[in-house]
Amino acid sequence: MSEKKIRVLIAKPGLDGHDRGAKFVAQTLRDAGMEVIYTGLRQTPSSIVAAAIQEDVDVVGLSILSGAHNTLLPRVVELLEENGAGDILVFGGGVIPEADIPFLKEHGVKEIFTPGTPSDIYVKFIRENVQQHNDQGG
Amino acid sequence: MTKVDNLLLPDSSLNMRFLARLITKIENNSQFAEELLSEIYQENNEALILGITGPPGAGKSTLIDNIVGKFREQGKKIAVVAIDPSSPFSGGAILGDRIRMSSHFMDPNVFIRSMGSRGYLGGVAPATVNVMNFLTAVGFDVVIIETVGAGQSDIDIMYLVDSVLLVLVPGLGDDIQALKAGIMEIADIFVVNKADKPGKEKLMAEINMLLMLKQEQVDWIPPVLEVVATEGEGIDTLIAEIKRHKEYLTEHSFDVKIKKVERRIRRMIEEKIDERVHGSFKDNDRLNLWIEKAIDGKINPYSLIKDFDKKLTVLWEG
């Protein structure tokens, strides 16, 4: 029996305590048939990366509302690369100004979904990108 | 064997990733798992294999966080496999047991892995036994399996592990709950968690009464321990009892250990049968046609079952 499930880590880096968005995303991904590992509030980039590696996820989704996204999100990408896991897809969500999005994308964050994004948009995004990744033999 | 030997090199995150990816393959592909494990499997009597079960919210993950802390003080390498339910509708899952173990996230000697139950009832996942055998084979000193929040009959954990810790909390049910068959019978150690909450004495008394009724037939009498996991209270005693049970299994009662290994191997065979039978009938066109007929009332489901039974007999003997 062979069955591949998409595994996603949903994490909250930094110090804000608002996890409603993260939990909403986690549930919609579950309903889309994915296995979602939720690690809770106030995680450091290094603890997120350790969890992503041990759980062997395909995708890391970072929810952030504190304003520290320009520091924390690129740091997660950087640490994944340092630990030989640069192939793991990283996306972000939360209160992130339009003006910051190009900077984050330049630093390896594949996509940013701001509040109000319908769930089928990011479900489709994850499915397509993971598929592409698997096709490349990753 | 060479590839797997590499996993035992001093802790590098690259090895961690290799290990994690192998577990994914074991989980997704039972054939791969069998090939790999037929090479590296050993009945490793050194490793301590613990199962933690109990109802949802009993504090299993928090208790594991504490147990891991104690074993780390002794320099042990520890793997935790935490199982959460998969959705019967979407097949997806939210795996949240890690949250309570965050104090060990950065410890390179603690490997935590979440698993979805993937449609399997009984408290564990189909691949749990393979993942567990893999983790002991690559040299973890302690492997801890956390079941899904278990009900009265989720007893499969007893087939897998050496010691079953049943975590209970005060105030969940009346006296009769304790006397029911099933999960209450599989505990090697009873952990009464949240022992600072009202109702503790009553729960302790109920468990002790249940054990008194059984004592004549067994030579291991499960201890009943009070713990407050969030405060770390009672953990030292618990660790001592875990060790005592391990000693009991290895030294004083070889028979018990053999029985456990036998159960585990039988379980592996049953799972294979289940997988093959399910696999061959899941999308069987003729079977689907029969079921449709039964739904329409054109055939009686009991005659369908009778026919099916005949077909299975042919399959098995042929």
Side-chain angles (χ1 to χ4, degrees):
Chain A
M1 207 188 288
S2 177
E3 166 186 34
K4 171 86 183 113
K5 287 235 184 281
I6 296 177
R7 285 170 71 87
V8 186
L9 181 78
I10 296 293
K12 293 251 346 147
L15 294 175
D16 74 273
H18 304 279
D19 58 359
R20 204 166 156 177
K23 283 178 174 162
F24 176 81
V25 170
Q27 288 210 13
T28 50
L29 295 181
R30 178 202 67 188
D31 291 343
M34 301 177 196
E35 289 185 344
V36 185
I37 294 104
Y38 181 60
T39 52
L41 294 170
R42 298 184 192 94
Q43 296 298 309
T44 62
S46 34
S47 74
I48 290 167
V49 168
I53 287 173
Q54 293 185 10
E55 298 287 358
D56 191 25
V57 294
D58 306 287
V59 185
V60 174
L62 301 167
S63 164
I64 185 158
L65 291 87
S66 67
H69 46 269
N70 283 346
T71 314
L72 294 171
L73 269 50
R75 183 71 188 134
V76 171
V77 175
E78 201 178 280
L79 282 171
L80 281 170
E81 278 165 6
E82 274 174 29
N83 287 284
D87 56 305
I88 295 176
L89 180 78
V90 178
F91 73 96
V95 185
I96 295 170
E98 286 291 327
D100 290 343
I101 294 176
F103 171 84
L104 292 170
K105 285 191 174 175
E106 270 166 41
H107 288 81
V109 180
K110 188 89 178 177
E111 195 54 85
I112 297 289
F113 300 103
T114 49
T117 307
S119 64
D120 46 344
I121 303 271
Y122 54 77
V123 167
K124 189 165 168 249
F125 166 83
I126 292 173
R127 283 211 181 110
E128 281 175 0
N129 279 280
V130 169
Q131 183 59 42
Q132 207 180 6
H133 177 239
N134 290 343
D135 290 347
Q136 286 160 6
Chain B
M1 186 98 189
T2 47
K3 258 190 195 166
V4 177
D5 280 341
N6 289 338
L7 292 171
L8 301 175
L9 292 174
D11 326 286
S12 88
S13 46
L14 278 175
N15 277 340
M16 200 70 120
R17 181 134 216 250
F18 181 50
L19 184 110
R21 303 207 102 173
L22 280 178
I23 291 175
T24 305
K25 281 184 92 172
I26 290 170
E27 214 185 338
N28 289 338
N29 186 335
S30 62
Q31 249 171 353
F32 171 83
E34 283 149 21
E35 265 164 47
L36 176 72
L37 285 163
S38 63
E39 250 180 85
I40 64 165
Y41 177 82
Q42 45 193 322
E43 197 47 59
N44 182 353
N45 290 309
E46 295 307 310
L48 179 65
I49 307 173
L50 295 179
I52 317 283
T53 189
K60 296 182 290 298
S61 306
T62 311
L63 186 72
I64 291 172
D65 188 49
N66 278 279
I67 294 174
V68 169
K70 289 290 172 200
F71 280 119
R72 282 303 298 135
E73 284 171 17
Q74 300 164 14
K76 307 270 191 214
K77 252 184 116 153
I78 303 156
V80 178
V81 179
I83 303 153
D84 266 330
S86 295
S87 160
F89 303 107
S90 72
I94 293 189
L95 312 172
D97 292 325
R98 273 190 95 90
I99 297 178
R100 323 245 180 265
M101 304 175 200
S102 56
S103 55
H104 305 290
F105 276 8
M106 298 309 297
D107 186 339
N109 288 305
V110 179
F111 182 85
I112 304 169
R113 182 64 178 241
S114 314
M115 282 175 86
S117 64
R118 299 198 178 175
Y120 193 82
L121 304 173
V124 292
T128 311
V129 61
N130 293 337
V131 170
M132 191 191 83
N133 286 334
F134 172 71
L135 290 168
T136 51
V138 299
F140 282 96
D141 305 308
V142 182
V143 177
I144 303 175
I145 313 284
E146 177 182 348
T147 71
V148 304
Q152 288 165 334
S153 61
D154 295 320
I155 56 168
D156 279 4
I157 189 71
M158 78 166 172
Y159 298 112
L160 306 182
V161 301
D162 296 328
S163 308
V164 176
L165 276 61
L166 176 59
V167 187
L168 297 170
V169 285
L172 272 190
D174 59 19
D175 323 24
I176 214 72
Q177 300 287 354
L179 293 169
K180 282 186 181 161
I183 199 160
M184 294 298 283
E185 292 178 285
I186 67 164
D188 297 305
I189 298 171
F190 284 92
V191 179
V192 174
N193 190 26
K194 307 186 190 181
D196 52 347
K197 295 268 186 300
K200 175 199 72 180
E201 283 83 7
K202 192 161 174 261
L203 178 61
M204 302 276 292
E206 279 162 15
I207 300 167
N208 280 315
M209 198 180 82
L210 172 87
L211 292 172
M212 248 163 54
L213 296 172
K214 275 187 72 174
Q215 266 180 30
E216 285 156 321
Q217 308 133 33
V218 290
D219 53 352
W220 170 263
I221 299 159
V224 186
L225 308 175
E226 291 177 37
V227 164
V228 184
T230 49
E231 307 296 322
E233 279 170 31
I235 305 298
D236 284 323
T237 319
L238 174 61
I239 298 288
E241 289 297 314
I242 290 169
K243 287 199 173 140
R244 195 167 68 85
H245 188 247
K246 173 77 176 171
E247 277 162 23
Y248 161 78
L249 289 180
T250 45
E251 287 166 32
H252 305 294
S253 190
F254 190 64
D255 294 350
V256 180
K257 175 82 184 167
I258 294 292
K259 234 184 259 171
K260 290 223 171 216
V261 174
E262 186 194 326
R263 280 201 298 226
R264 194 184 307 159
I265 293 168
R266 283 191 183 279
R267 184 74 221 183
M268 285 160 69
I269 294 168
E270 275 167 27
E271 252 159 48
K272 191 78 215 173
I273 294 171
D274 191 59
E275 180 193 312
R276 286 297 289 270
V277 174
H278 259 99
S280 51
F281 289 105
K282 208 163 132 195
D283 283 315
N284 185 298
D285 289 338
R286 204 162 49 165
L287 194 70
N288 289 342
L289 206 73
W290 280 0
I291 293 170
E292 271 169 39
K293 276 188 185 164
I295 294 170
D296 292 342
K298 285 176 190 150
I299 49 170
N300 180 330
Y302 284 98
S303 49
L304 192 156
I305 296 291
K306 226 169 86 187
D307 281 354
F308 193 62
D309 188 44
K310 271 186 214 152
K311 294 231 159 35
L312 280 178
T313 313
V314 173
L315 260 181
W316 178 248
E317 283 162 7

